[in-house]
Amino acid sequence: MTTVRREAFGRMPAEQGGGEVEKFVLQSDSVKVEILSLGCIIAALETKDRNGKFSDVVLGFDTLEGYTKKHPFFGAVVGRVANRIAKGRFTLDGKEYQLFLNNGPNSLHGGAKGFDKVLWNPQVLPDGVRFFRLSPDGEEGYPGDLKVWVTYTLSGRQLAINYQAQTSKTTPISLTNHAYFNLAGQGSPDVYDHEISIEADSYLPVDDTKIPTGEVAAVQGTRFDLRQPVELGKHLQKFHMDGFDHNFCLQEAQSPRLVARVHHPPTGRTMEVHTTQPGIQFYTGNNLDGSLKGKGGITYPKHSAFCLETQNWPDSVNKPHFPNVLLHPGEEYNSTTWLMFNTA
């Protein structure tokens, strides 16, 4: 049985358009999740350890103020296009589009004011909440009026996130949630004692601006082979890695499949990711540097969280051999990711 509660969370600053931000609390007997109408942000997610003790396992802020200042997309839905587009440029039907460059020479996660920084219209469901917004033609340089729905539903130990969209003009679209997880509990100093596996036979090598080179490389015999669980800290040490920030290529499938699993032996918490998407970005919080004060006044140092962002492949709009990222008028974009929390 899931209960859903809505409450006021704060008001946007006038220079950011004002408007009331609401918080929606979804609760089952084993998971409690708090979601904001700003950016569809997962602001908290509490789950049990093996002794039945609840801890909040996502990074974020206690108050709205934290989310209205610059932060690394904590818990937010990002779009229109998650991840990077090279030089913020693409051509459709002979017309070139230029996006805002907010990540060195590239456009990242929708641009200067992407889906993470806007208010969405909420609708309470019996077991969750659905958010809607219209992204107008030309917003952040993208073509077409895009209607978008993001639906969170909680059932027992499983949080489902469904993304739907319709457009008036052909546009690239790839939506994901950018939650930062630490299964020891947010505020724990690192995720080195987490064991991770990703069901991917290949990954995308990137250039020095994190844009895929176009090669689809086999993980076999490389540091990217995570098909069997590895302990993160030891793995990074063994391969002298600064961390992961890479897209892993998943088997294309219409039906959901298990694509990643993270286990935290000290608490027994596990998280499984199931999705219909063709890719998953594994990111180990390499750019966290302790400068942000999060919940409870705790700072978040490097490697204090991981992200598993289900997505289309980065820069697909410029790489015809990558999975199709274009949505045409009359079609529907529809993608679902399931997060399953257990103890082992």
Side-chain angles (χ1 to χ4, degrees):
M1 183 60 197
T2 301
T3 59
V4 183
R5 206 170 72 239
R6 73 191 292 175
E7 51 194 61
F9 189 66
R11 192 170 177 82
M12 293 294 285
E15 65 274 15
Q16 293 181 36
E20 294 297 331
V21 180
E22 288 187 285
K23 177 167 81 175
F24 298 82
V25 184
L26 283 45
Q27 191 160 7
S28 70
D29 56 358
S30 42
V31 174
K32 177 182 171 188
V33 58
E34 300 180 1
I35 304 161
L36 307 182
S37 57
L38 170 67
C40 305
I41 287 169
I42 296 177
L45 196 157
E46 294 181 20
T47 179
K48 291 177 182 174
D49 67 8
R50 69 165 63 86
N51 301 317
K53 177 179 174 281
F54 278 94
S55 288
D56 183 2
V57 297
V58 298
L59 276 53
F61 304 101
D62 289 322
T63 61
L64 178 59
E65 192 186 9
Y67 292 107
T68 59
K69 292 180 175 166
K70 189 173 166 56
H71 67 92
F73 305 97
F74 283 151
V77 165
V78 293
R80 280 184 196 190
V81 176
N83 216 304
R84 293 169 179 85
I85 293 178
K87 300 183 173 60
R89 233 182 269 150
F90 59 89
T91 302
L92 278 181
D93 303 325
K95 183 178 176 192
E96 185 174 275
Y97 293 88
Q98 179 65 55
L99 311 173
F100 186 81
L101 306 180
N102 61 335
N103 186 247
N106 306 315
S107 182
L108 174 71
H109 294 329
K113 191 178 180 184
F115 290 3
D116 59 298
K117 297 179 183 70
V118 293
L119 285 176
W120 294 62
N121 293 318
Q123 176 195 353
V124 172
L125 306 175
D127 56 351
V129 58
R130 175 177 294 135
F131 297 100
F132 170 78
R133 81 173 295 253
L134 173 67
S135 170
D137 186 15
E139 183 173 61
E140 286 298 319
Y142 287 99
D145 285 329
L146 187 75
K147 293 178 179 171
V148 194
W149 296 264
V150 177
T151 307
Y152 291 90
T153 48
L154 181 64
S155 173
R157 295 187 169 96
Q158 178 178 278
L159 178 67
I161 312 173
N162 174 257
Y163 309 91
Q164 288 168 280
Q166 297 164 356
T167 186
S168 64
K169 292 180 187 170
T170 300
T171 186
I173 180 169
S174 172
L175 301 176
T176 193
N177 179 284
H178 207 311
Y180 285 68
F181 294 96
N182 186 322
L183 298 186
Q186 72 87 28
S188 300
D190 60 62
V191 288
Y192 297 145
D193 57 356
H194 289 50
E195 294 171 356
I196 179 147
S197 56
I198 298 178
E199 303 278 330
D201 297 330
S202 52
Y203 76 101
L204 300 180
V206 292
D207 67 16
D208 57 7
T209 73
K210 301 277 196 304
I211 291 289
T213 60
E215 181 192 0
V216 181
V219 300
Q220 180 78 38
T222 74
R223 59 193 176 170
F224 297 96
D225 193 345
L226 303 177
R227 293 172 296 184
Q228 295 300 317
V230 302
E231 189 179 319
L232 198 52
K234 286 181 180 164
H235 188 81
L236 295 181
Q237 220 171 4
K238 176 182 172 184
F239 289 100
H240 308 290
M241 291 179 76
D242 185 51
F244 285 93
D245 191 4
H246 294 82
N247 178 82
F248 287 77
C249 307
L250 307 174
Q251 295 295 321
E252 282 272 28
Q254 291 306 301
S255 53
R257 66 258 182 245
L258 172 68
V259 296
R261 185 173 187 272
V262 186
H263 175 54
H264 183 243
T267 60
R269 286 192 186 93
T270 66
M271 179 176 107
E272 288 182 354
V273 183
H274 300 247
T275 192
T276 55
Q277 287 279 39
I280 189 166
Q281 187 85 1
F282 177 38
Y283 174 54
T284 47
N286 315 329
N287 297 323
L288 297 174
D289 60 6
S291 61
L292 285 174
K293 269 209 165 79
K295 289 179 258 193
I298 293 165
T299 56
Y300 297 135
K302 183 174 181 171
H303 296 161
S304 58
F306 66 88
C307 304
L308 286 165
E309 305 153 64
T310 56
Q311 59 176 15
N312 205 313
W313 300 3
D315 202 33
S316 282
V317 72
N318 292 313
K319 301 203 166 42
H321 61 295
F322 281 10
N324 172 47
V325 72
L326 297 179
L327 180 68
H328 301 278
E331 298 175 346
E332 181 170 74
Y333 175 89
N334 195 331
S335 145
T336 308
T337 293
W338 295 263
L339 303 176
M340 177 77 86
F341 299 92
N342 277 305
T343 50

